[in-house]
Amino acid sequence: MLKTAESVRAGHPDKLADFIAGSILDEALAGDPAAKVAVEVLATKARVLVAGEITSNHKMRIPATVRLALAERGYNPRAFRIRTRIQRQSGDIADGVDYSLEARHGKADDSAVLGAGDQGTVYGYATSETAERLSLPLVYAHRICRGVRPSMTGRRSHWFGCGWENPSHHQLPGRETGEGGVCCGVCPA
């Protein structure tokens, strides 16, 4: 079976978007520990779009927070066009997140009081293939990302003689050998 591992580094738009979203969450919670924040961030070609729902007693300054995050990551914030599409969380969603259906119907034990939240599911596993307990293709993809980091500063990477233009996203296929091992890169069929 062929599996592909992926690693992205600081120059990738997904990393920047995640950092901006985290900065918005940090601001909201610093101003209102009970804030509800569900935002998505899109960053591409000198544009940032922040959209979603925020319910908070704190007066959010989202464009200013985005500019600070951009500057912290080494970008010129004035070079970006920042757009926001934020609204308060809908009452229907708030009902499910703040209080469970059981609590709304009178049940008061600890588990009934907790709302549903808006959590995703993460799939993963530990393996003995590497000291990091991660799959070998993923470890190699992370190493490649670390190896090309000097290209962001204009230095040629020793990992690749080609001196790629700021590569920030790497995918590496790996094929299970059937004997508990994994072959990365070019594998015999």
Side-chain angles (χ1 to χ4, degrees), residues 105-189:
H105 286 89
K107 191 173 179 187
D109 67 24
D110 288 343
S111 64
V113 183
L114 296 175
D118 186 8
Q119 303 301 316
T121 301
V122 177
Y123 168 79
Y125 62 93
T127 178
S128 60
E129 293 173 2
T130 64
E132 296 91 339
R133 298 284 189 217
L134 300 170
S135 71
L136 193 58
L138 182 59
V139 169
Y140 284 164
H142 287 331
R143 287 180 186 171
I144 289 170
C145 279
R146 282 193 304 273
V148 298
R149 188 169 289 143
S151 69
M152 284 186 78
T153 61
R155 292 181 288 149
R156 187 177 215 111
S157 171
H158 70 279
W159 284 74
F160 301 99
C162 61
W164 285 349
E165 280 287 320
N166 191 19
S168 60
H169 177 242
H170 300 284
Q171 290 183 322
L172 188 68
R175 184 183 325 259
E176 291 182 4
T177 63
E179 298 158 6
V182 174
C183 175
C184 292
V186 180
C187 300

Side-chain angles (χ1 to χ4, degrees), residues 7-17 75 152 166 168-170:
S7 185
V8 295
R9 62 187 190 86
H12 195 275
D14 288 349
K15 287 280 192 184
L16 179 60
Y75 293 95
M152 284 186 78
N166 191 19
S168 60
H169 177 242
H170 300 284

Side-chain angles (χ1 to χ4, degrees), residues 70-91:
L70 289 167
E72 192 171 329
R73 285 295 185 238
Y75 293 95
N76 175 1
R78 291 188 203 100
F80 283 78
R81 174 189 250 163
I82 301 167
R83 302 281 181 160
T84 61
R85 297 292 183 265
I86 299 294
Q87 59 194 17
R88 290 185 66 81
Q89 187 178 59
S90 79

